[in-house]
Amino acid sequence: MQTLLLGPDDVVEFADLPSVIDAVEAAFAADARGDTIMPAKSYIDLPAYNGDFRSMPAYVHAGDWDAAAVKWVNVHTDNPSDHDLPTVLGTLIYSDPETAFPLAVMDGTNLTRLRTGAAAAVATDHLAVPDADSLGLVGAGVQAATQLEAIASVRELEQVVIADQNTEKQQAFVDRFADRFDVRAGTIEDAAACDVLSTITPVESPIVDREWLGEHTHVNAIGADAAGKHEHDDRTLLDAKLVIDDYEQCTHSGEINVPWGAGTLSDDDIYGELGTIVAGESPGREAGDGLTLFDSTGLAIQDVAAAHVVYEGARETGGGTDVSLVGTETS
């Protein structure tokens, strides 16, 4: 039996985004039903190298498929300047839960990008107004493009506003998507007025004022992935129907972590986890809702779901490279 080696281009080729969105949605529902196992993310801090490692294992049983995987990912801030490497590198091992055989080893960097966009799409589909047709993006990095592609899969977008302090990156984003969307460069305030807003920045002080948001805006808060990060006005978090991906991760390192630690937010201010909405255990957007906000930290079950799509797509079409990674049992 062979293990499939899937590089970055393979992951992009076989990660059909609508299928990834469906799989991630199924994983959220499975989590709410208790059909997942997801230990806490573990960290290895490496201050001598201005970086860290993170391990993210999970098992998902989602109806007609089940799988297990572990993602080994890092954040090394000096990589681009000192080593000509990305800040974040990820590798995922995708395994058969029945035998533990490593079915695939694949690029985890593109996988992370895609499953993060997929999670925002799932949240948007359940929490944004049904006729939402404008999307604001704050931060013109790689994830912004995935946010646009994913959210455009669940809403008919007529206008896109991109905001970034780097005007070159901002214009490059406009140029990239101008032939497919009505996209323009704008301020954070312009972006915040849209029906859907995704923020993808690493800031530690809020940059989106409560007053800038539309009456029924849905916010995907993506940027906060470590303790101390904080993109949104505390008043927004208090006013919104606040939905999180995972209680432990969000209170530790999500958008809510700073006001949570300060006692500004409490359990009473959290509506619930996205999985309970997807599973039908609690309603998503309701008629009387105003602001909604999804705090996305990124879950290992999302990685498993996306990896499942990539692996099945590659096996069906003969993609990737087979390698002999496991020896024959001799005793």
Side-chain angles (χ1 to χ4, degrees):
M1 194 169 180
Q2 300 281 286
T3 299
L4 197 58
L5 183 63
L6 297 162
D9 291 342
D10 296 316
V11 169
V12 171
E13 180 179 355
F14 298 113
D16 172 66
L17 191 52
S19 297
V20 173
I21 292 170
D22 288 344
V24 167
E25 184 170 44
F28 274 118
D31 192 46
R33 294 192 305 266
D35 290 337
T36 66
I37 302 171
M38 185 171 59
K41 184 189 303 185
S42 63
Y43 292 79
I44 298 175
D45 290 319
L46 300 168
Y49 300 107
N50 195 21
D52 64 55
F53 286 113
R54 308 166 189 196
S55 64
M56 300 176 65
Y59 164 79
V60 176
H61 176 73
D64 59 352
W65 62 269
D66 71 338
V70 60
K71 186 172 71 176
W72 183 240
V73 65
N74 74 294
V75 176
H76 278 59
T77 306
D78 298 332
N79 267 3
S81 59
D82 294 356
H83 306 289
D84 196 27
L85 288 170
T87 300
V88 177
L89 300 165
T91 302
L92 181 136
I93 301 173
Y94 179 77
S95 300
D96 179 350
E98 180 179 1
T99 65
F101 188 87
L103 298 171
V105 177
M106 68 181 72
D107 165 53
T109 305
N110 279 327
L111 196 78
T112 300
R113 173 178 61 81
L114 292 161
R115 61 81 152 151
T116 301
V122 173
T124 299
D125 202 25
H126 287 273
L127 294 169
V129 292
D131 59 350
D133 61 11
S134 59
L135 170 65
L137 297 163
V138 180
V142 173
Q143 180 55 217
T146 310
Q147 289 287 309
L148 173 52
E149 298 277 9
I151 291 168
S153 297
V154 299
R155 290 294 187 273
E156 293 286 339
L157 297 178
E158 295 184 2
Q159 184 182 54
V160 179
V161 180
I162 179 71
D164 196 289
Q165 63 183 0
N166 185 321
T167 56
E168 290 185 2
K169 289 174 62 178
Q170 189 179 30
Q171 188 58 48
F173 186 94
V174 172
D175 294 342
R176 176 178 176 183
F177 289 102
D179 62 337
R180 296 176 53 201
F181 298 96
D182 178 7
V183 56
R184 67 180 179 88
T187 65
I188 296 176
E189 186 171 356
D190 295 331
C194 293
D195 295 328
V196 180
L197 172 68
S198 288
T199 56
I200 322 109
T201 71
V203 298
E204 296 187 355
S205 295
I207 56 173
V208 183
D209 286 355
R210 168 66 181 88
E211 289 82 5
W212 297 346
L213 295 165
E215 185 178 353
H216 300 289
T217 297
H218 167 65
V219 178
N220 296 304
I222 308 296
D225 62 355
K229 292 187 177 182
H230 190 22
E231 296 182 296
H232 290 274
D233 192 329
D234 288 352
R235 292 173 297 166
T236 298
L237 301 176
L238 289 167
D239 288 349
K241 183 178 218 176
L242 182 57
V243 177
I244 60 179
D245 61 5
D246 179 80
Y247 182 87
E248 294 299 328
Q249 285 193 187
C250 286
T251 54
H252 174 267
S253 56
E255 176 58 32
I256 67 173
N257 84 91
V258 174
W260 181 272
T264 304
L265 289 177
S266 68
D267 281 355
D268 292 338
D269 299 305
I270 298 175
Y271 177 72
E273 294 185 348
L274 181 59
T276 64
I277 296 173
V278 173
E281 297 175 7
S282 55
R285 175 166 284 277
E286 299 173 277
D289 287 339
L291 287 176
T292 56
L293 186 143
F294 173 53
D295 184 355
S296 174
T297 58
L299 306 181
I301 58 171
Q302 297 167 219
D303 295 313
V304 175
H308 170 72
V309 173
V310 172
Y311 175 75
E312 293 298 328
R315 275 293 181 222
E316 286 174 9
T317 60
T321 303
D322 279 320
V323 296
S324 297
L325 198 61
V326 176
T328 303
E329 182 67 58
T330 58
S331 61

